[in-house]
Amino acid sequence: MTTLQQLLNMKSRDVCRCHPDDTVLDALKTMADRDVGSVLVMDDDRLLGVFTERHYSRKVFLKGRSSPNTPIREVMATGVVSVGPERTVEECMALMTEKRVRHLPVMRGEEVIGVISIGDLVKSIIADQLFTIEQLEHFIHG
Amino acid sequence: MTTLQQLLNMKSRDVCRCHPDDTVLDALKTMADRDVGSVLVMDDDRLLGVFTERHYSRKVFLKGRSSPNTPIREVMATGVVSVGPERTVEECMALMTEKRVRHLPVMRGEEVIGVISIGDLVKSIIADQLFTIEQLEHFIHG
């Protein structure tokens, strides 16, 4: 069972973040620079919310707001679902499906130690399957 | 091995689509109404491209364009990766990881018969695991 801690060990530990007073435009630029689809909204080290491409698509222009004039605090999702690093890929998949989210902050107590995306989970499953296949082939060919 | 055809049988077959001359704003509204993150760009029944929340976040405002004045043809992705309905969930996962996409049009010949998202794949894996667990429990308890 692969844990989130193991996945985080293979990723950059530098969390993509912004401040609640930053504008939507700031957050978009940050996400583009980092080539990710979500940003954690944090005040110092306290997690306040999350902002994703989904929120940008639904809650800005379609609701009469503009990217340069809207602070992230106005459109971020609060009540963020987070997980501990000891959780497994399987538990995380079930949680994402149930909550309909594609990103989960990983927290040790109050500290954010990383973010896991649905793409990270799928990549991990693929890697596990390749490993199993190699083991089987090794077994067959001796 | 679950195939894409089996997944499509459990989904709405009504593909979320727009015309290349529609504006980005039109496409955003369509995606919001259908509660999805991508739209196929089609001229009659011919697939020309795909437009997703990722493209909206990266290629519109950040590139000096505006939603009501930009036709989808200007910002859609062309050269869309598609798959046949006989492909398995596992093959599809590998393809999404390799190509870094979260949506795959499913085509029978030239005809689009559905779209599979990375969320659909994860949901399918969860369901398969639950089924295996139930089978094992049945075996144990007789």
Side-chain angles (χ1 to χ4, degrees):
Chain A
M1 298 285 239
T2 307
T3 65
L4 301 190
Q5 182 65 65
Q6 289 171 295
L7 292 195
L8 286 179
N9 290 344
M10 298 184 290
K11 287 186 71 166
S12 158
R13 301 297 288 274
D14 192 15
V15 168
C16 182
R17 56 187 281 174
C18 70
H19 189 273
D21 294 334
D22 288 347
T23 66
V24 167
L25 181 55
D26 295 329
L28 278 187
K29 284 179 183 165
T30 301
M31 287 194 276
D33 287 346
R34 297 284 300 272
D35 198 21
V36 294
S38 78
V39 56
L40 298 187
V41 187
M42 299 176 72
D43 191 359
D44 284 327
D45 284 337
R46 205 158 58 94
L47 178 63
L48 300 180
V50 65
F51 181 75
T52 69
E53 291 167 343
R54 169 62 52 98
H55 301 124
Y56 175 54
S57 303
R58 301 279 204 267
K59 297 170 76 175
V60 183
F61 199 86
L62 285 185
K63 301 291 184 191
R65 298 183 174 102
S66 88
S67 310
N69 299 313
T70 305
I72 281 294
R73 64 164 74 250
E74 202 178 309
V75 286
M76 70 186 184
T78 54
V80 179
V81 183
S82 65
V83 282
E86 73 287 355
R87 293 293 171 181
T88 65
V89 166
E90 286 73 15
E91 289 172 322
C92 219
M93 282 201 299
L95 194 61
M96 282 193 188
T97 300
E98 186 199 330
K99 303 289 185 188
R100 302 197 68 212
V101 295
R102 290 185 294 209
H103 305 88
L104 286 174
V106 185
M107 301 188 74
R108 187 178 287 123
E110 295 295 300
E111 184 199 3
V112 177
I113 60 171
V115 175
I116 292 295
S117 73
I118 194 168
D120 294 330
L121 297 184
V122 167
K123 204 189 288 181
S124 162
I125 295 166
I126 299 286
D128 283 351
Q129 287 173 346
L130 282 180
F131 181 74
T132 305
I133 291 167
E134 280 170 15
Q135 295 282 92
L136 288 172
E137 285 182 346
H138 183 74
F139 178 77
I140 291 166
H141 300 301
Chain B
M1 297 286 238
T2 308
T3 66
L4 302 190
Q5 182 66 64
Q6 289 170 293
L7 292 196
L8 287 180
N9 291 343
M10 297 183 291
K11 288 186 68 165
S12 159
R13 302 296 289 273
D14 191 18
V15 168
C16 183
R17 55 187 282 174
C18 70
H19 190 272
D21 294 335
D22 289 346
T23 66
V24 167
L25 181 55
D26 294 329
L28 278 187
K29 285 179 183 166
T30 301
M31 287 194 278
D33 288 345
R34 297 284 300 270
D35 198 22
V36 295
S38 77
V39 56
L40 299 187
V41 187
M42 299 177 71
D43 192 357
D44 284 327
D45 284 336
R46 205 157 59 93
L47 178 64
L48 299 180
V50 64
F51 182 74
T52 70
E53 291 167 343
R54 170 61 50 97
H55 300 123
Y56 175 54
S57 303
R58 301 280 204 268
K59 297 170 77 176
V60 182
F61 198 88
L62 285 185
K63 301 292 182 189
R65 298 183 175 103
S66 87
S67 310
N69 299 312
T70 305
I72 281 293
R73 64 166 73 251
E74 201 177 309
V75 287
M76 69 185 185
T78 54
V80 179
V81 183
S82 65
V83 282
E86 74 287 356
R87 293 294 171 181
T88 65
V89 166
E90 287 71 17
E91 289 172 323
C92 218
M93 282 201 299
L95 193 61
M96 281 193 189
T97 300
E98 185 199 331
K99 303 289 185 186
R100 303 196 68 212
V101 295
R102 290 185 293 207
H103 304 88
L104 286 174
V106 185
M107 301 188 75
R108 188 178 286 123
E110 295 296 299
E111 183 200 4
V112 177
I113 59 171
V115 174
I116 292 294
S117 73
I118 194 168
D120 294 329
L121 298 184
V122 166
K123 205 189 290 182
S124 162
I125 296 166
I126 299 286
D128 283 351
Q129 287 173 346
L130 281 181
F131 180 74
T132 306
I133 290 167
E134 279 171 14
Q135 294 283 91
L136 288 172
E137 285 181 346
H138 183 75
F139 178 77
I140 291 166
H141 300 299

